[in-house]
Amino acid sequence: MRIFVLSLAASLLAACASTPAPKPVTPATRPPVAAPAPVRIGLALGGGAAKGFAHIGVIKMLEANGIKPVVVSGTSAGSVVGALYASGMDAYALQQKAVALDEASIRDVSLFSGGVVKGQKLQDYVNTQLGGRKFEQLRKPFAAVATRLEDGQRTVFVRGNVGQAVRASSSIPGVFEAVSIGKYHFVDGGVVSPVPVDAARDLGADFVIAVDISSKATGTTDPSSMLGNMNRSITIMGQKLGALELQRADIVIRPNVNDIGATDFAQKSRAILEGERAAQALLPQIKAKLAALQAQRLAQARSAAELKFTQQREAERKARCAKQQGWLDTLTRDADCRAD
């Protein structure tokens, strides 16, 4: 019996010696969490004729506080400022352009079409300021929103002739001639999208700052005035449409410019100042929301990295346990493999 036991032990030792030891598996290490991409800020500039100078004040205040939109959309007056901003001009360059702007340089009345503005001067002005660049050549992605006259379809211009698109976006019905582009005619984008929040989203914005300078209906009107009634009706319609789209913005800035007339270029400096004031008042809210969104992205990145790490460790465990399936390994098998 002693000889048998010694022989069996010798056989077991020989078997163990002849069995190659499994190669050690390098344990998974937690990879560093890559910083998420910065939030893409979009600026949606609404229509409002001469009140549009307030957009410059808003941009001025945002840039001064390190908040730099990377995409821009504009309707009507907002499309004019938006095009110049997207071309690469900063807020101070925009202000210089505004101070030097003469209303006569963008207004060309046609005596043969009921005294309405043709808009060709506006188109030429924008293209001159942009050096003839097309949408595709601007420094920032830019969209100008207009209304297709034939069927009321919202049309977003993002390529081609910028000045022509801005002219279409700014063609207030009854004031400007409709603009012919291709087989369609276009009028002011404010008819369907007073503040183009959705257009900014379509350009890839994660966070949209909307600037609403649209007129608000008040109780002071003469119901016997045909022109007044038409303007009031357009204002009310714009308010209803704008309210729905503004709900999809992250921040809405409303400069106090409701009492500035549509053609009151003399108050451009005051409009710029009101834009600065309105933006400054919302800076804490803008910064807090941007920080919260960036923190949420970082948390999501960490969660994804942790899941990947867990999955990698589980794959390593299964690979290690698969090498311990022989009957000789039953005594030395890792504890976390015994259940397999």
Side-chain angles (χ1 to χ4, degrees):
M1 178 62 71
R2 180 180 296 175
I3 294 172
F4 173 76
V5 171
L6 291 174
S7 299
L8 179 60
S11 299
L12 290 173
L13 288 173
C16 290
S18 61
T19 303
K23 294 181 179 179
V25 179
T26 303
T29 57
R30 277 185 169 82
V33 179
V39 176
R40 288 177 58 83
I41 301 174
L43 190 60
L45 305 177
K51 294 190 286 289
F53 290 107
H55 292 317
I56 298 173
V58 171
I59 294 171
K60 188 176 178 182
M61 187 56 62
L62 292 178
E63 284 193 342
N65 286 272
I67 301 169
K68 297 183 178 180
V70 296
V71 302
V72 188
S73 62
T75 288
S76 197
S79 73
V80 179
V81 176
L84 301 184
Y85 185 48
S87 74
M89 296 184 190
D90 61 17
Y92 291 96
L94 290 174
Q95 187 166 354
Q96 288 180 336
K97 296 292 183 184
V99 170
L101 180 63
D102 179 7
E103 184 181 359
S105 64
I106 60 172
R107 184 179 180 185
D108 45 358
V109 178
S110 173
L111 299 177
F112 301 100
S113 57
V116 299
V117 179
K118 294 180 64 176
Q120 184 63 49
K121 275 192 173 183
L122 175 61
Q123 176 176 329
D124 294 342
Y125 171 81
V126 172
N127 282 336
T128 298
Q129 298 304 316
L130 269 55
R133 283 176 287 171
K134 298 182 181 299
F135 276 92
E136 300 89 335
Q137 299 170 310
L138 299 179
R139 296 281 295 275
K140 301 175 189 289
F142 170 61
V145 180
T147 305
R148 197 160 68 191
L149 192 58
E150 281 75 8
D151 55 9
Q153 181 69 37
R154 181 185 77 118
T155 303
V156 182
F157 292 98
V158 293
R159 64 176 64 90
N161 188 321
V162 181
Q164 187 180 49
V166 169
R167 175 185 177 185
S169 179
S170 305
S171 294
I172 304 170
V175 178
F176 280 75
E177 290 181 355
V179 180
S180 176
I181 302 177
K183 61 180 181 179
Y184 295 107
H185 297 82
F186 297 90
V187 294
D188 196 293
V191 175
V192 291
S193 182
V195 187
V197 175
D198 294 339
R201 294 279 187 205
D202 292 341
L203 288 176
D206 307 314
F207 187 93
V208 177
I209 300 173
V211 186
D212 180 17
I213 56 169
S214 59
S215 298
K216 304 297 184 291
T218 63
T220 56
T221 186
D222 179 7
S224 63
S225 169
M226 182 178 298
L227 182 59
N229 289 338
M230 182 186 73
N231 290 335
R232 173 58 60 89
S233 299
I234 293 175
T235 298
I236 293 172
M237 179 180 65
Q239 279 186 227
K240 299 296 183 182
L241 288 173
L244 293 174
E245 192 164 0
L246 284 171
Q247 291 176 3
R248 296 188 283 275
D250 296 281
I251 291 287
V252 180
I253 299 175
R254 292 184 171 92
N256 183 22
V257 291
N258 197 44
D259 59 332
I260 295 178
T263 59
D264 196 353
F265 276 55
Q267 295 204 61
K268 63 179 72 172
S269 295
R270 185 203 147 197
I272 293 173
L273 180 60
E274 292 295 347
E276 292 180 25
R277 287 173 173 166
Q280 184 178 33
L282 289 178
L283 279 176
Q285 188 177 343
I286 295 172
K287 291 180 178 180
K289 285 193 172 186
L290 284 172
L293 181 55
Q294 195 67 18
Q296 179 185 8
R297 288 184 162 195
L298 181 58
Q300 291 172 344
R302 286 175 175 166
S303 178
E306 184 64 27
L307 176 61
K308 183 177 180 180
F309 174 73
T310 302
Q311 292 172 339
Q312 187 177 352
R313 287 199 61 180
E314 177 62 15
E316 291 174 355
R317 186 192 72 81
K318 289 184 177 181
R320 185 178 70 253
C321 294
K323 295 179 180 180
Q324 300 179 11
Q325 294 302 316
W327 67 275
L328 293 174
D329 298 314
T330 56
L331 298 178
T332 60
R333 185 176 299 171
D334 294 347
D336 60 349
C337 295
R338 292 172 186 168
D340 289 356

